Amino acid sequence: KKTGTTLEPYQTMKHTRGPGESPPHQPPSKSPKPSPVACPSKPAPSPVLDPLEKAIKFLNDKGVFASEPEIAEVHFKLIREPTKATNPNHYRSIQLRLLRLTSGDTETYRDIVPAALHTFSKTEFRGYEDDNVYFLKHANALYQRYQKSGLCYMHGPAMVQHYALQFNGTLQPMLDLVKYIRDHFTAKQLEQHLFHDAGGDSICFLRSILEEGSELESGILRQTDLLLNQFCNYGPALVSRFEVHSDFYDDQDCHFHRGRPTGEVKGNHAMVLVGYRKDTTGTFFLLQNWWRRKQFVEVDEEYLIASGASITFIKTPQNSIPASFARSHGKYSELEMIDKPEGIIGEMVR
């Protein structure tokens, strides 16, 4: 029953917990939501280049034809599509060489010389005494190379450097020419090598791969006894600027040459003097070569003089291949940057 009294407004009263009484239920406090953490952005993956585009990028990075962009564009287009060139075989050859150069591989090398490769034997080369042939006098000294492209001006110096290290009692591998070209050729050298099939001066190349300050002694054959004395004192010599005639080049199975060269001049060549012999008719020189069927050649004094060859000895003892140059590990090496099956032109006379 309502009365006329006025109701007091509702007042919230504070509850006092009695003895033994459980605390009233409290809703769990909500933890603040953590701020979203931004995920680091992943770099976009680099595009995977096919081998040919990788090769052309190598040329660009090296600065090949950098001053002639229009010429570069034409050459690079024909490397991609050799069939569109006036001379397709030329650009196929460039393409093969370039792919070999940029594949990331080294030279092909092994410890066993292939059976198909011509090599030295006393049955074929009679009359040579062990003391007069470098690799017979020094055990395990013989190394061989097979030239698959026109680079004789590099093969010769690399072999002479190797023998010079052995001569000084240092057993080391040989310079790796594939890596040398890839890492140390200038843009101009690559242009000449890839697009013009040009060689270089083997004596200059020999200087560039030896230890700093190395001294050379070069000259043509004038006094045979002096030459033989130098051979005994310094070891094998670079035979460079050797003028190759048809009689030497055309018959790759002929390993003996006497008198004056005959036939047309094919070009200049570089080999290594590795031995000699004497008989009643004169002095004969054993040259190490880089062609598959003609790895060793014997020439007499007249033939060597008529070829106009320069003979270069390394006078300074060699202790190591400079650290910046890669090495090839094996008694047999071949350079697979294909140009011609039996290359010859590769050395230019300045």
Side-chain angles (χ1 to χ4, degrees):
K1 183 176 178 179
K2 289 183 182 181
T3 63
T5 58
T6 304
L7 295 175
E8 293 290 329
Y10 174 77
Q11 294 181 359
T12 302
M13 300 181 64
K14 185 176 180 181
H15 175 76
T16 303
R17 187 174 61 191
E21 185 179 0
S22 299
H25 173 73
Q26 297 287 337
S29 60
K30 294 183 179 180
S31 302
K33 291 183 179 180
S35 302
V37 178
C39 295
S41 58
K42 293 183 179 179
S46 301
V48 178
L49 299 178
D50 68 40
L52 194 53
E53 291 306 315
K54 177 184 174 183
I56 291 173
K57 182 180 183 299
F58 165 78
L59 295 180
N60 277 315
D61 291 345
K62 279 284 192 175
V64 175
F65 297 119
S67 61
E68 303 170 297
E70 292 181 357
I71 292 178
E73 185 179 352
V74 171
H75 279 306
F76 296 166
K77 179 179 179 180
L78 294 177
I79 290 174
R80 292 183 178 99
E81 301 177 277
T83 56
K84 293 187 177 180
T86 306
N87 183 358
N89 288 336
H90 176 64
Y91 281 92
R92 286 193 191 98
S93 174
I94 294 173
Q95 186 188 84
L96 286 171
R97 249 199 225 177
L98 187 55
L99 288 170
R100 177 68 181 93
L101 186 62
T102 57
S103 66
D105 295 334
T106 63
E107 288 185 342
T108 297
Y109 52 80
R110 59 191 76 134
D111 280 327
I112 299 174
V113 176
L117 197 76
H118 175 235
T119 192
F120 177 86
S121 74
K122 285 190 173 182
T123 303
E124 180 181 19
F125 295 94
R126 299 177 182 274
Y128 283 92
E129 299 177 7
D130 288 2
D131 281 349
N132 298 338
V133 178
Y134 176 77
F135 53 78
L136 296 181
K137 184 177 181 179
H138 299 271
N140 299 314
L142 178 59
Y143 277 56
Q144 291 185 244
R145 301 185 67 91
Y146 172 28
Q147 173 190 341
K148 282 194 170 183
S149 66
L151 288 167
C152 64
Y153 84 98
M154 299 179 74
H155 283 291
M159 186 64 78
V160 171
Q161 178 193 45
H162 175 72
Y163 285 148
L165 289 166
Q166 286 186 333
F167 192 76
N168 195 38
T170 305
L171 296 177
Q172 286 202 5
M174 198 181 302
L175 182 72
D176 187 313
L177 293 181
V178 170
K179 283 191 172 181
Y180 181 90
I181 294 170
R182 186 165 63 226
D183 298 340
H184 299 281
F185 261 30
T186 65
K188 191 64 180 177
Q189 286 174 312
L190 284 170
E191 288 175 22
Q192 292 295 314
H193 171 61
L194 290 168
F195 295 91
H196 304 295
D197 194 23
D201 188 303
S202 59
I203 298 176
C204 291
F205 181 65
L206 178 60
R207 288 186 188 279
S208 73
I209 63 175
L210 296 178
E211 293 176 298
E212 188 175 355
S214 295
E215 185 180 354
L216 305 179
E217 185 166 322
S218 297
I220 61 174
L221 175 59
R222 288 192 175 93
Q223 300 179 39
T224 300
D225 289 341
L226 175 61
L227 175 66
L228 300 184
N229 186 58
Q230 290 172 318
F231 179 78
C232 292
N233 289 335
Y234 304 130
L238 175 66
V239 177
S240 61
R241 302 167 186 174
F242 182 97
E243 197 171 68
V244 173
H245 291 70
S246 298
D247 67 312
F248 190 94
Y249 180 67
D250 290 347
D251 189 353
Q252 302 262 324
D253 294 311
C254 177
H255 306 140
F256 301 88
H257 295 277
R258 309 281 188 268
R260 296 188 64 83
T262 59
E264 66 174 311
V265 176
K266 298 287 188 176
N268 293 292
H269 195 44
M271 295 177 282
V272 175
L273 172 64
V274 290
Y276 69 91
R277 71 176 179 88
K278 288 185 173 185
D279 65 17
T280 56
T281 64
T283 303
F284 301 87
F285 302 98
L286 183 66
L287 307 180
Q288 186 172 357
N289 194 25
W290 328 114
W291 304 344
R292 183 173 60 85
R293 305 200 317 269
K294 201 166 188 164
Q295 286 275 302
F296 293 92
V297 184
E298 181 185 271
V299 298
D300 65 5
E301 292 175 85
E302 185 178 0
Y303 198 95
L304 187 59
I305 293 170
S307 73
S310 178
I311 301 169
T312 302
F313 291 94
I314 304 172
K315 294 182 66 176
T316 306
Q318 299 296 297
N319 298 302
S320 65
I321 297 173
S324 60
F325 300 154
R327 292 147 174 80
S328 172
H329 303 264
K331 285 184 169 293
Y332 166 76
S333 301
E334 63 185 36
L335 205 57
E336 293 182 287
M337 293 185 297
I338 300 168
D339 177 43
K340 305 178 183 69
E342 296 282 357
I344 172 175
I345 308 303
E347 183 179 39
M348 298 187 301
V349 177
R350 292 184 297 171

